[in-house]
Amino acid sequence: MKTLVLNASYEPLGVISTRRAVMLVLAGKASTVAGNGAQLHSRSLVLDAPSVVLLNQFIKVPHRRIPLTRKSALERYGHVCAYCGKYGDTLDHVIPRARGGTHTWDNVVIACFRCNNVKSDRLLTELGWKLPFELKEPHLNMASLISMRWNDPNWEEFTEPWRRHELQLAG
C-alpha cells in the first residue's frame, strides 16, 4: 500500500509506503488527512491506514530538473511514437547525434522500431516528416509526476489543483 505525502502547504511531495507514513504519524511529524479504509493492528493499538498524510512542518524543496533517461522519456511521451502515433519504445534524436544533435529534451522523442529504422540518421526535412508538437524540457511538478506514476483516484483532489497551477505557469 502507498501513501501520498503532502507538504504543510498541501503541495504533493511524493509517495511512500503506508508503513513509513504510519511511522511519521506516530512520531508526530505528520497527520492523517485521508484513510484508505484498511486498519492496522498492533498489540495495543488500532490505526486507520493513511492514504494521504500532511507534514506538520513545511519542507523547502529545491526545483529539480528531470533527467533525460529512456524511462523518463517513455513516461513523458506515454510510449507513443512521435512520427506515426503507434506504440513506441525507442529513443530517437530528431537531429541525429552523428550530425551534431545533442542528447537533451529539446532533441529527443520516442519512436517505434519501424519509424526509428526508416529515419535512421536523417533529418526530418529530408524525409518530409514533421513533429506534431514542440520539443522542450518538461516542466513537471511533483503532482504531475505522481499522477503519471500512480493513478489513484483518491489522490486527485490533492494533486489536481497543483497540476492545473503548473499548466498555467507553463502555458
Side-chain angles (χ1 to χ4, degrees):
M1 293 189 300
K2 298 291 183 188
T3 302
L4 176 66
V5 179
L6 302 176
N7 208 343
S9 64
Y10 283 83
E11 177 183 6
L13 285 181
V15 177
I16 60 174
S17 70
T18 300
R19 182 180 187 280
R20 175 77 177 121
V22 168
M23 297 305 287
L24 288 173
V25 171
L26 291 175
K29 295 180 180 183
S31 54
T32 302
V33 175
N36 64 12
Q39 287 190 329
L40 302 172
H41 299 268
S42 76
R43 185 173 179 187
S44 60
L45 199 53
V46 176
L47 289 172
D48 291 329
S51 175
V52 180
V53 295
L54 176 69
L55 295 178
N56 293 336
Q57 289 189 340
F58 181 80
I59 304 293
K60 185 173 180 182
V61 181
H63 175 70
R64 292 179 290 223
R65 296 185 129 183
I66 298 172
L68 175 55
T69 62
R70 181 175 183 272
K71 183 178 178 180
S72 63
L74 288 169
E75 281 185 7
R76 178 182 187 194
Y77 294 115
H79 290 78
V80 176
C81 176
Y83 306 119
C84 70
K86 295 180 182 174
Y87 177 80
D89 60 356
T90 61
L91 287 181
D92 182 59
H93 294 87
V94 178
I95 300 171
R97 294 184 88 174
R99 294 191 174 193
T102 57
H103 185 69
T104 56
W105 281 108
D106 57 354
N107 191 44
V108 172
V109 294
I110 298 300
C112 66
F113 182 76
R114 183 183 163 279
C115 289
N116 203 1
N117 281 334
V118 169
K119 182 177 172 290
S120 188
D121 65 348
R122 293 180 277 201
L123 298 173
L124 296 181
T125 54
E126 294 173 10
L127 297 168
W129 292 3
K130 286 187 176 184
L131 286 175
F133 51 84
E134 180 183 335
L135 291 174
K136 59 184 175 182
E137 184 171 351
H139 195 263
L140 297 175
N141 63 8
M142 190 54 72
S144 298
L145 212 52
I146 289 168
S147 297
M148 285 175 11
R149 289 190 181 158
W150 295 279
N151 192 10
D152 191 331
N154 297 326
W155 297 348
E156 282 184 18
E157 69 177 289
F158 303 103
T159 58
E160 191 58 35
W162 291 95
R163 288 184 66 210
R164 281 197 308 268
H165 176 71
E166 189 68 25
L167 290 173
Q168 288 173 349
L169 291 176

